[in-house]
Amino acid sequence: MADRAYNFNAGPAALPLEVLRQAQEQFVDFGGTGMSLMEMSHRGKVYESVHYETEKLLRELAGIPDHYKVLFLQGGASTQFAMVPMNLGAPGKVAAYVHTGAWAAKAIKEAKLFGETAIAASTEADAFMRIPSSGELNIPDNAAYLHVTSNETIGGVQWKEYPDTGSVPLVADMSSDILCRPLNVAQFGLIYAGAQKNLGPSGVTIVIIREDLIGQPAGTVPTMLQYATHAKSGSLYNTPPTFGIYMINLVLKWLQGQGGAAAMERINREKADILYREIDESGGFYRGCAEPGSRSLMNVTFRMADEELEKRFVKESEEAGFVGLKGHRDVGGLRASIYNAVPLESVQALASFMREFKRRNG
Ligand code: PMP
């Protein structure tokens, strides 16, 4: 750890040190080719083997069935907010959404550009501090799909169990929690995630889509924004983000070395428990934002008595080597993002800092 910061950034976020070192080692000369991977044709054998190996690793780690396609796209998860309704919407159907906070709101706003939408449930009345129960969902009969945000990165709430939507395809934005725990892909019609939190650097967005949903879109959709274009070409229709995909490859191998998604979940629970315990046992000095049953394993959000104290916490934490603890500008407060690659030692160091800060200011 020596000169590494305690990195709690929300995304782009901490990457495994091992991965950074490997990338550094291979940066100038990839596997004796005399070139960086970044300097190679995406149609060449060397890059292609990295590309398809990355897909294979993701299939293994996420348990992706054969009748799903894996796509590596650009434009961030924000472009998926539009691609989902453009491709999955149909005349006479409504796009249904669960409104759980800031990221769900952005997805809904975009879907409204393309047709009728319905809010199947909203937790706005509870300031988005919880995930609705299945019983609260009201899915229209003519829903084209139901969209959920599996982890609200800003609010710090996370789905524990996904709803059974019957024949309505379930679509999930897993940008901030993909592979933080085992996943049953068969429950979903489509999953998407920007890579920059749990999978690698920014610039790549992963889409996992059930083959029967990759039809010809109903409206006029630009070629680059059709899932079919990328599914048919193995995400090589145009130049893919080669370096980002290579970094995902290294992160997935690291994840495999950790024991896969099940082992990752155990470690993530241990990390999250340390911080939530620190909050809960602080006698009200720290106050967790999310309702306990909806607490995120990835983004621990909390507040203190007043903003002055929160400012002091941020300032002093920065002086002590902690990065990224200030809450999102829209909601304030504090947030520790503890994605897969954030080491247990960083979390332990933060818990000690929190205790010490409370002792001095409580
Ligand atoms: N969804 C969620 C849950 C996110 O956390 C983010 C980014 N923080 C996005 C979507 C948007 O991702 P991008 O910046 O890759 O467009």
Side-chain angles (χ1 to χ4, degrees):
M1 285 289 290
D3 48 3
R4 296 274 291 162
Y6 295 123
N7 185 350
F8 292 95
N9 278 334
L15 286 166
L17 181 57
E18 271 167 74
V19 165
L20 296 174
R21 291 222 164 106
Q22 265 176 298
Q24 183 181 44
E25 217 168 88
Q26 300 178 323
F27 194 68
V28 173
D29 180 9
F30 186 81
T33 56
M35 306 178 243
S36 174
L37 188 91
M38 279 189 294
E39 302 173 289
M40 284 177 197
S41 166
H42 59 294
R43 309 276 173 210
K45 283 210 160 34
V46 178
Y47 175 72
E48 273 196 359
S49 76
V50 171
H51 187 90
Y52 290 117
E53 186 188 49
T54 310
E55 175 181 343
K56 186 167 154 276
L57 286 163
L58 188 62
R59 283 188 178 278
E60 283 165 14
L61 281 159
I64 303 174
D66 289 344
H67 63 296
Y68 283 74
K69 291 280 191 209
V70 173
L71 313 177
F72 298 111
L73 307 183
Q74 300 188 58
S78 300
T79 298
Q80 294 311 305
F81 294 160
M83 275 179 80
V84 167
M86 283 170 116
N87 285 269
L88 269 46
K93 297 248 183 182
V94 303
Y97 284 76
V98 182
H99 190 358
T100 46
W103 291 109
K106 291 209 164 147
I108 295 163
K109 176 171 173 262
E110 211 61 20
K112 284 188 172 157
L113 298 173
F114 301 99
E116 199 188 331
T117 56
I119 303 301
S122 167
T123 53
E124 190 168 7
D126 296 309
F128 301 119
M129 285 304 121
R130 67 181 186 90
I131 294 292
S133 66
S134 295
E136 291 173 68
L137 300 188
N138 190 358
I139 308 172
D141 292 336
N142 61 341
Y145 57 84
L146 178 76
H147 179 285
V148 298
T149 309
S150 69
N151 183 68
E152 284 282 358
T153 321
I154 294 175
V157 293
Q158 184 179 29
W159 288 79
K160 307 291 160 184
E161 269 176 44
Y162 296 103
D164 178 359
T165 51
S167 59
V168 174
L170 181 60
V171 173
D173 173 1
M174 290 196 190
S175 292
S176 50
D177 69 350
I178 190 160
L179 288 176
C180 79
R181 57 189 177 189
L183 174 64
N184 177 14
V185 173
Q187 264 185 294
F188 299 89
L190 190 153
I191 293 166
Y192 63 90
Q196 66 270 24
K197 299 166 202 301
N198 256 352
L199 295 174
S202 62
V204 192
T205 307
I206 290 202
V207 172
I208 302 166
I209 180 170
R210 212 173 63 208
E211 277 172 355
D212 62 285
L213 296 173
I214 312 174
Q216 191 56 39
T220 304
V221 176
T223 308
M224 275 295 287
L225 300 182
Q226 295 181 25
Y227 291 123
T229 302
H230 304 285
K232 271 187 267 181
S233 60
S235 305
L236 287 161
Y237 171 75
N238 71 323
T239 317
T242 54
F243 192 74
I245 292 169
Y246 156 73
M247 288 297 289
I248 293 176
N249 181 295
L250 297 184
V251 170
L252 293 177
K253 283 178 185 157
W254 170 84
L255 185 54
Q256 216 169 34
Q258 299 291 302
M264 208 67 244
E265 178 176 16
R266 277 196 298 281
I267 301 167
N268 285 332
R269 278 194 190 287
E270 188 184 347
K271 291 190 298 186
D273 283 350
I274 290 173
L275 296 184
Y276 287 122
R277 203 178 316 123
E278 209 55 53
I279 291 168
D280 292 343
E281 293 178 359
S282 71
F285 184 76
Y286 300 112
R287 283 179 284 113
C289 298
E291 285 191 8
S294 299
R295 282 174 165 178
S296 168
L297 285 178
M298 299 279 97
N299 309 97
V300 177
T301 51
F302 57 102
R303 303 222 58 145
M304 298 170 72
D306 59 65
E307 286 184 18
E308 273 316 302
L309 201 53
E310 290 173 349
K311 266 195 202 142
R312 195 182 314 157
F313 183 95
V314 171
K315 184 169 173 286
E316 290 186 19
S317 71
E318 284 169 357
E319 286 162 4
F322 295 90
V323 175
L325 292 170
K326 192 165 183 244
H328 190 276
R329 60 188 181 281
D330 289 351
V331 296
L334 301 148
R335 169 176 60 173
S337 297
I338 48 173
Y339 302 119
N340 287 355
V342 174
L344 179 64
E345 300 80 66
S346 290
V347 173
Q348 285 164 334
L350 175 57
S352 303
F353 174 83
M354 287 170 73
R355 210 168 313 140
E356 179 56 23
F357 185 84
K358 181 187 162 231
R359 199 186 54 73
R360 283 186 280 110
N361 296 278

